[in-house]
Amino acid sequence: MDAKKNNYRKKGGRKPKTNPSIHRHVFRLTQEENDKLMSLFESSGMVNKAKFIISLLFAREIRTVIIDKGTVDFYMRLTSFYSQFRAIGVNYNQLVKLLYTHFSEKNAAVFLYKLEKQTAEMAVLCQKIIKITEEFDRNHLKK
């Protein structure tokens, strides 16, 4: 009969946990140890310190994400270069089509020769960008 009374509660409030944390452990840290623990906690991205410490004690995997502002900035600029190159390619195709529809064969060839020189310069620039990107990848990104 006592078990029946325990299962049925007339009190208000929240329902009791099925597996409550009832054991408490206290430990003290030096200033250096505390600083190291706090830096690990902040870099883990977890919200609850107690759960973080439990995950450390029981060797659960803790993922640390480090965001390098320089790398993010480099990536964003590289992405903008890529979109600009795509736009140039689209404009190039449109320009060649317009040259052949509105100009004579001789005049179109003259303009295409000038366009070809600019394209060669852009190809050299593109090769330099690729070399810089590979160097950045080797020197600054961890694999």
Side-chain angles (χ1 to χ4, degrees):
M1 182 143 182
D2 290 330
K4 189 176 183 181
K5 285 184 181 179
N6 287 341
N7 288 338
Y8 182 72
R9 294 178 43 159
K10 291 185 179 180
K11 296 180 184 178
R14 63 181 160 182
K15 295 180 182 178
K17 295 181 179 179
T18 57
N19 189 11
S21 300
I22 58 172
H23 300 284
R24 179 183 173 135
H25 298 277
V26 177
F27 59 94
R28 300 189 187 282
L29 301 173
T30 65
Q31 186 62 39
E32 294 83 25
E33 294 168 339
N34 187 53
D35 292 341
K36 186 174 181 180
L37 180 68
M38 288 294 107
S39 68
L40 286 173
F41 171 67
E42 290 170 359
S43 66
S44 73
M46 294 181 81
V47 181
N48 189 336
K49 263 191 252 184
K51 289 186 180 184
F52 170 72
I53 293 172
I54 289 170
S55 68
L56 283 178
L57 289 174
F58 295 116
R60 293 186 187 149
E61 183 179 345
I62 298 173
R63 295 181 184 167
T64 304
V65 177
I66 299 171
I67 298 173
D68 184 12
K69 301 286 184 188
T71 305
V72 172
D73 187 42
F74 181 77
Y75 176 76
M76 291 182 69
R77 289 178 190 259
L78 193 62
T79 304
S80 69
F81 268 140
Y82 178 72
S83 62
Q84 288 174 6
F85 278 122
R86 284 181 53 95
I88 289 171
V90 170
N91 291 343
Y92 187 90
N93 290 338
Q94 291 173 352
L95 183 63
V96 170
K97 186 176 180 181
L98 286 173
L99 282 175
Y100 279 112
T101 57
H102 294 294
F103 292 100
S104 67
E105 193 76 26
K106 187 176 181 181
N107 286 340
V110 170
F111 287 124
L112 281 176
Y113 179 72
K114 291 179 182 179
L115 186 62
E116 194 175 314
K117 283 185 179 180
Q118 295 296 319
T119 305
E121 288 178 18
M122 193 169 79
V124 170
L125 179 65
C126 187
Q127 291 298 322
K128 287 181 183 178
I129 291 171
I130 290 171
K131 286 180 184 177
I132 291 171
T133 304
E134 290 171 351
E135 180 183 333
F136 182 81
D137 190 31
R138 278 193 311 269
N139 295 336
H140 298 288
L141 296 180
K142 295 180 182 178
K143 300 263 176 168

